[in-house]
Amino acid sequence: MRNRFDDTNPAKEEEEYVQSIIDNVKWLGFDWEDRLFFASDYFDQMYEYAIQLIKAGKAYVDDLPADQITEFRGTLTQPGKNSPYRDRSIEENLNLFQRMKTGEFPDGQKVLRAKIDMAHPNLNMRDPVMYRILHASHHRTGDRWCIYPMYDWAHGLEDSIERITHSICTLEFENHRPLYDWFLDALGVYHPQQIEFARLNLTYTVMSKRLLFQLVEEGHVAGWDDPRLPTISGMRRRGYSPSSIRAFCKRIGVAKFNSMVDFEFLEHNIREDLNKTSPRFMGVLRPLKIVIENYSDQQTEELEAVNNPEEPARGTRKIPFSKTLFIEQDDFMENPPKDYYRLTVGREVRLRYAYFIKCLEVIKKDGRPVELRCSYDPATKGGYAPDGRKVKSTIHWVSMSHAVPAEVRLYDRLFTIADPVGQKGMDFKEFLNPQSLEVLRDCRIEPAMKTLKPFERFQFERLGYFCVDPDTTKDNLVLNRTVELRSSWTKLQKQRRKNQEPFNT
């Protein structure tokens, strides 16, 4: 595998972005070894190629300002007009281009353009700009250059110099291919083949760097590594594993036409991978206190819990059990509907890895349950009754005196509709989901989790997959929800097959 950074625009390239890309690609499981390149590696050669085109009468220095270059370019239905500077002599063009290089002219005063055809049906072939003046420091070359190549000029030259066989681009570069070919043919150098494929489009998000930049710069998200963004750094922070991302990409493949991939399918791949590899823990996100009245105040037990049923070799761990516990608020209802099987007054449920308990009394404050008084059956240790009686629900819990406080960030879809960009006349930001992040600051988790490090992934039983956020400190454990436990993808597939609807995978 090889990689090349297009650092032709010093105003957009910063060392932190470059290093972030390198780190993220390595995290994904790839290594360029000694095959890491930069467009700036070839600035000298590109300059010499430009001189070659000028000497061949195929490039000229233009003094038209940017707005007039655009005006003279014409439209899809109208041919362009030649610049009044198009017929400068070769000697004058060489002189002016050299002076551009030495910094004699200010930004924007002159450009170097290819001399092709201002009436060409492809607008990209109407004397495109090859070099512009930009007095800016470059992250690798410093202040050595004040003229910088345009991407269309640089792209093919970089491929040729590196002896690339096939140059892979997204579909929007398909009408740039004739220009790619023209430059290489005009120079008579090694000619790779450019091939275009569709870019990945996911529902409920945006993939364009330009649109992502708006979200970051305008403060709609916390940064490029915000877990709601489809960036590699965002996915890593959210808790996606490298293997799950690779599996997703392998399954969707590449296409020659634009399409939209369901975000649910990405999440399906994440769940499938994390289910096999994630250790299990118990955590209570919205705590409700329960007191087991017939359990001794002085007693504490250590119960055995399975670390990962998918990997028996991971063994078990000990979790403390005591008289006072926390359960989820959602696991109790005072007046439940008919199909509610969790805890209510007079009903027995199983505490995961522990005992059967029965709710005896509800203590309220301002009309809201704040404490449950319960009893337990000592004979049901491990979650099974010797007399064979059954319960219809198992709920998770943590011991109040042993639990560790944590902040949990619940992430959801970034947008409220599947295709926020495809709505005509609407700003995509109008569809941002105001509920895409919910922060819970009074969560309680089992003590074994205190040793987890940033980016470690795990499953909260019954709740979903989570990871430790790098905002974590010694005094504040921060957890991110990666994805909820249940997947709608299998159900969605079956429904679409039943209705004979097309769907993307």
Side-chain angles (χ1 to χ4, degrees):
M1 179 181 177
R2 75 163 60 215
N3 180 73
R4 182 200 315 129
F5 286 96
D6 170 39
D7 56 347
T8 54
N9 188 346
K12 291 186 177 180
E13 303 299 329
E14 294 185 20
E15 187 63 37
E16 63 176 304
Y17 293 137
V18 172
Q19 191 57 50
S20 176
I21 293 171
I22 293 172
D23 293 343
N24 285 326
V25 171
K26 285 186 176 180
W27 173 79
L28 276 173
F30 302 100
D31 190 349
W32 297 304
E33 296 175 347
D34 61 345
R35 299 181 298 277
L36 176 61
F37 304 99
F38 294 82
S40 55
D41 293 337
Y42 314 121
F43 279 178
D44 287 292
Q45 182 64 66
M46 291 179 197
Y47 178 79
E48 292 303 321
Y49 281 145
I51 295 292
Q52 182 178 333
L53 286 191
I54 293 172
K55 288 181 177 180
K58 295 180 179 179
Y60 64 97
V61 174
D62 192 2
D63 293 2
L64 285 179
D67 58 342
Q68 282 194 288
I69 289 177
T70 301
E71 178 188 341
F72 277 41
R73 193 183 188 197
T75 67
L76 291 171
T77 58
Q78 295 292 327
K81 297 187 298 183
N82 287 347
S83 166
Y85 305 100
R86 194 174 194 265
D87 294 324
R88 276 175 164 156
S89 68
I90 291 174
E91 291 72 19
E92 185 180 5
N93 283 318
L94 288 171
N95 175 267
L96 288 172
F97 189 50
Q98 171 64 29
R99 291 160 65 189
M100 285 170 61
K101 179 177 181 287
T102 57
E104 184 174 330
F105 307 112
D107 292 359
Q109 188 174 98
K110 299 180 187 297
V111 295
L112 182 71
R113 299 176 68 179
K115 186 185 288 188
I116 306 178
D117 181 0
M118 288 302 293
H120 199 287
N122 185 335
L123 268 67
N124 294 307
M125 301 293 284
R126 296 181 184 177
D127 290 12
V129 174
M130 297 165 55
Y131 275 90
R132 77 285 205 196
I133 301 171
L134 190 59
H135 292 269
S137 184
H138 190 279
H139 76 106
R140 296 188 74 238
T141 62
D143 296 322
R144 184 183 169 208
W145 294 89
C146 63
I147 56 170
Y148 289 94
M150 302 298 290
Y151 178 77
D152 278 335
W153 164 246
H155 177 201
L157 302 185
E158 296 155 9
D159 291 343
S160 178
I161 293 168
E162 294 175 12
R163 311 294 289 185
I164 297 296
T165 57
H166 296 81
S167 186
I168 309 302
C169 301
T170 47
L171 284 177
E172 63 263 34
F173 287 97
E174 188 170 23
N175 61 0
H176 291 247
R177 192 190 331 141
L179 181 56
Y180 179 98
D181 294 336
W182 187 91
F183 279 135
L184 296 177
D185 291 341
L187 291 167
V189 294
Y190 171 76
H191 194 148
Q193 181 180 356
Q194 177 177 304
I195 299 179
E196 304 84 18
F197 290 99
R199 71 162 67 198
L200 169 61
N201 292 304
L202 280 172
T203 57
Y204 296 98
T205 191
V206 293
M207 303 294 285
S208 161
K209 183 179 177 182
R210 176 179 58 85
L211 300 183
L212 293 171
F213 184 80
Q214 286 186 44
L215 296 178
V216 173
E217 288 299 301
E218 295 174 14
H220 299 290
V221 292
W224 287 100
D225 65 345
D226 188 298
R228 292 166 290 184
L229 293 184
T231 59
I232 297 300
S233 55
M235 291 179 172
R236 181 186 183 191
R237 188 168 183 176
R238 185 155 178 169
Y240 291 7
S241 63
S243 53
S244 65
I245 298 173
R246 294 197 304 266
F248 169 70
C249 293
K250 184 176 181 180
R251 285 171 173 170
I252 62 173
V254 293
K256 288 289 286 184
F257 57 90
N258 286 315
S259 61
M260 193 79 75
V261 178
D262 283 313
F263 196 85
E264 289 88 347
F265 185 59
L266 170 60
E267 293 186 326
H268 169 77
N269 283 268
I270 305 304
R271 288 187 189 94
E272 185 178 68
D273 183 78
L274 295 182
N275 180 55
K276 300 172 185 175
T277 60
S278 298
R280 271 55 168 176
F281 294 103
M282 290 195 291
V284 176
L285 305 189
R286 299 172 177 88
L288 175 61
K289 178 182 177 181
I290 71 170
V291 177
I292 304 176
E293 292 187 332
N294 61 331
Y295 196 90
S296 171
D297 290 338
Q298 284 73 43
Q299 186 178 0
T300 297
E301 294 181 74
E302 285 196 331
L303 306 178
E304 193 168 61
V306 176
N307 285 327
N308 188 341
E310 300 292 325
E311 288 188 290
R314 288 203 176 197
T316 60
R317 69 188 185 282
K318 299 294 184 180
I319 50 176
F321 183 87
S322 61
K323 182 182 181 70
T324 307
L325 311 173
F326 286 126
I327 65 169
E328 292 286 351
Q329 294 175 13
D330 289 346
D331 284 335
F332 172 80
M333 288 188 73
E334 190 172 12
N335 300 297
K338 184 178 179 180
D339 58 351
Y340 184 86
Y341 299 115
R342 285 167 280 174
L343 196 59
T344 189
V345 176
R347 178 180 294 167
E348 203 170 40
V349 298
R350 178 189 293 109
L351 293 179
R352 181 73 161 148
Y353 303 119
Y355 300 95
F356 288 7
I357 63 167
K358 180 185 289 187
C359 182
L360 306 175
E361 180 187 359
V362 184
I363 299 174
K364 299 181 182 180
K365 182 178 181 180
D366 299 326
R368 184 174 61 89
V370 293
E371 183 178 311
L372 306 180
R373 293 284 171 164
C374 302
S375 65
Y376 89 114
D377 183 350
T380 59
K381 186 173 183 178
Y384 299 95
D387 60 7
R389 74 184 188 276
K390 305 292 185 181
V391 294
K392 291 187 175 181
S393 184
T394 300
I395 64 176
H396 60 278
W397 54 275
V398 292
S399 169
M400 188 178 81
S401 59
H402 301 88
V404 175
E407 174 185 313
V408 176
R409 299 170 181 174
L410 303 178
Y411 290 100
D412 204 345
R413 302 283 192 271
L414 184 56
F415 292 91
T416 57
I417 62 173
D419 185 13
V421 179
Q423 311 306 308
K424 290 186 177 180
M426 303 285 284
D427 185 339
F428 78 103
K429 296 189 292 294
E430 293 181 35
F431 302 102
L432 281 166
N433 179 10
Q435 309 300 322
S436 63
L437 171 60
E438 181 182 5
V439 181
L440 305 177
R441 293 188 169 86
D442 193 31
C443 307
R444 295 294 184 271
I445 64 177
E446 62 174 273
M449 299 183 66
K450 288 191 296 186
T451 60
L452 293 181
K453 301 293 189 295
F455 299 108
E456 286 196 59
R457 298 176 287 272
F458 60 91
Q459 183 197 109
F460 269 146
E461 297 202 33
R462 300 181 64 234
L463 297 177
Y465 296 97
F466 293 75
C467 78
V468 182
D469 189 86
D471 283 348
T472 291
T473 65
K474 186 176 72 171
D475 301 319
N476 185 38
L477 184 60
V478 181
L479 309 175
N480 296 330
R481 183 174 67 189
T482 306
V483 64
E484 293 182 275
L485 203 57
R486 300 186 186 278
S487 172
S488 62
W489 177 250
T490 303
K491 182 178 179 181
L492 185 64
Q493 283 180 306
K494 290 180 180 178
Q495 184 64 38
R496 284 174 166 168
R497 288 193 182 103
K498 181 180 177 181
N499 298 336
Q500 296 186 330
E501 296 177 10
F503 58 90
N504 298 314
T505 58

